Amino acid sequence: MSDQPKFRSPFGDIAPALAAYTDDVLFDDVWKRPELSPRDRSLVTVTALIALYRTNELPFHLKYALQNGVTQDEIVEVITHLAFYAGWPAASTAVGIARKVFEETGSGA
């Protein structure tokens, strides 16, 4: 067993099975598959969340992307690129969320 703390879902108190799937399958299996690096998985995840307008999950995954080595400039470029594929409202909303995350993490301009 590892000394590293295990990721824990914030909703385990009300949805323990969903929390277990999130912790054990998503973050302990899917995110650790060797075919994509954590950095690449973060880029894919952030892109999907922006394109699908999943604003609730976006702040967590933007922070996670920064931890996984995605730069602020790369995140902004993803958002700009997606404006043409996912739509201006999705990109505009993502900019506001990214701004807050950058300020919170000290990575903002």
Side-chain angles (χ1 to χ4, degrees):
M1 192 172 242
S2 173
D3 290 336
Q4 188 177 28
K6 188 173 182 174
F7 179 82
R8 285 286 162 219
S9 298
F11 42 78
D13 59 330
I14 193 161
L18 182 58
Y21 292 134
T22 301
D23 296 339
D24 301 334
V25 177
L26 180 58
F27 284 100
D28 275 351
D29 181 22
V30 174
W31 270 86
K32 292 181 181 175
R33 292 174 53 83
E35 292 79 12
L36 289 175
S37 68
R39 181 189 182 286
D40 291 345
R41 287 188 191 279
S42 281
L43 277 172
V44 169
T45 302
V46 165
T47 300
L49 293 173
I50 293 168
L52 295 172
Y53 213 76
R54 301 298 195 248
T55 58
N56 190 52
E57 298 295 322
L58 190 55
F60 170 84
H61 279 286
L62 287 172
K63 290 174 190 172
Y64 203 46
L66 291 167
Q67 291 173 9
N68 284 332
V70 179
T71 68
Q72 176 185 333
D73 288 342
E74 289 170 323
I75 290 169
V76 171
E77 188 61 27
V78 164
I79 294 168
T80 302
H81 191 73
L82 284 173
F84 294 90
Y85 291 93
W88 237 261
S92 177
T93 298
V95 166
I97 294 170
R99 178 183 290 121
K100 287 177 82 172
V101 167
F102 296 158
E103 289 170 0
E104 290 172 8
T105 61
S107 62

